[in-house]
Amino acid sequence: GSLIKYNPLSNLTSEETWNFLRVQGVPVNELHAQGYDSIGCEPCTRPVLPNQHEREGRWWWEDATAKECGLHSGNIKNADGTEEERKADRDLWVDSKVVALTKEQAHAMAEGSRDKDTLLVLYAPWCPFCQGMEASYGALAEQLAGSAVTVAKYQADIDKDFCTEKLGLKTFPTIVLLPKGSGPFIKYPSER
């Protein structure tokens, strides 16, 4: 036999659905009040602007005809709170002008020891989004080579607690600008 699926909401408008939720006192995710009309996993969701379709906030980096999501295993913990160690076949930006920071260098820069502006990607080599930006970030490093800006990388999945606390890491990749001197970092709003 074939599988038959039934969606009781398929014939309701969004307005009718919200009215039902209010009347019945159904708890809803607090992100809805912040403009997140369609909520998925963190890297795939952002708030929508007025007059945008509610699904515009999902998979916003994808081509409209190929939007799809899966759970991002890099952001999921096991039931006991532990994380499986993830491995990649290779590192990223190996043969490029992207400067690889050591743990000591990354920590010193996060604390404010910077002799020039540094654009830093916090990455995990197993992350498909990090892999997807490898060519463009490498091209940026090539373009800015010898300028007042260093384009760098730091493998944050092996130093996640520090990067979360000191550099605003939530998902991979996270891109931050560390200005020359000791000012605060600037986190780019899009992590994808």
Side-chain angles (χ1 to χ4, degrees):
S2 57
L3 177 66
I4 298 174
K5 293 183 179 182
Y6 174 73
N7 181 347
L9 301 177
S10 62
N11 291 323
L12 296 179
T13 65
S14 182
E15 184 178 325
E16 291 170 326
T17 302
W18 280 105
N19 187 47
F20 175 83
L21 295 173
R22 279 189 288 277
V23 168
Q24 296 299 318
V26 177
V28 297
N29 190 311
E30 60 189 37
L31 289 174
H32 287 295
Q34 299 174 30
Y36 292 83
D37 290 345
S38 179
I39 301 172
C41 58
E42 183 183 22
C44 296
T45 306
R46 70 176 182 183
V48 295
L49 300 173
N51 300 318
Q52 276 189 312
H53 187 276
E54 63 188 22
R55 300 294 279 180
E56 287 295 313
R58 298 288 298 280
W59 313 298
W60 42 270
W61 67 90
E62 295 280 354
D63 180 294
T65 61
K67 290 184 176 187
E68 185 169 332
C69 178
L71 292 177
H72 299 285
S73 60
N75 301 317
I76 298 175
K77 293 187 178 189
N78 297 324
D80 64 1
T82 62
E83 294 182 4
E84 285 184 35
E85 184 178 337
R86 287 154 185 70
K87 297 186 180 187
D89 295 336
R90 63 182 181 86
D91 196 10
L92 305 178
W93 302 289
V94 174
D95 297 321
S96 74
K97 300 277 185 185
V98 176
V99 176
L101 298 182
T102 65
K103 183 175 184 174
E104 293 74 24
Q105 290 170 320
H107 285 226
M109 291 183 82
E111 298 297 335
S113 176
R114 304 175 214 130
D115 58 356
K116 63 191 293 191
D117 293 340
T118 302
L119 188 65
L120 176 64
V121 62
L122 304 171
Y123 76 102
W126 47 261
C127 170
F129 297 105
C130 298
Q131 294 167 2
M133 67 177 278
E134 187 173 18
S136 58
Y137 196 70
L140 178 65
E142 188 75 35
Q143 183 180 359
L144 293 177
S147 74
V149 178
T150 298
V151 178
K153 68 176 185 174
Y154 182 59
Q155 188 174 341
D157 64 330
I158 58 175
D159 195 12
K160 202 170 179 181
D161 290 340
F162 177 83
C163 291
T164 300
E165 180 184 341
K166 298 293 187 180
L167 295 169
L169 174 71
K170 285 189 177 179
T171 60
F172 299 113
T174 292
I175 300 173
V176 296
L177 177 67
L178 300 165
K180 180 180 178 177
S182 60
F185 68 87
I186 299 166
K187 182 176 176 182
Y188 282 79
S190 171
E191 295 173 349
R192 300 281 177 245

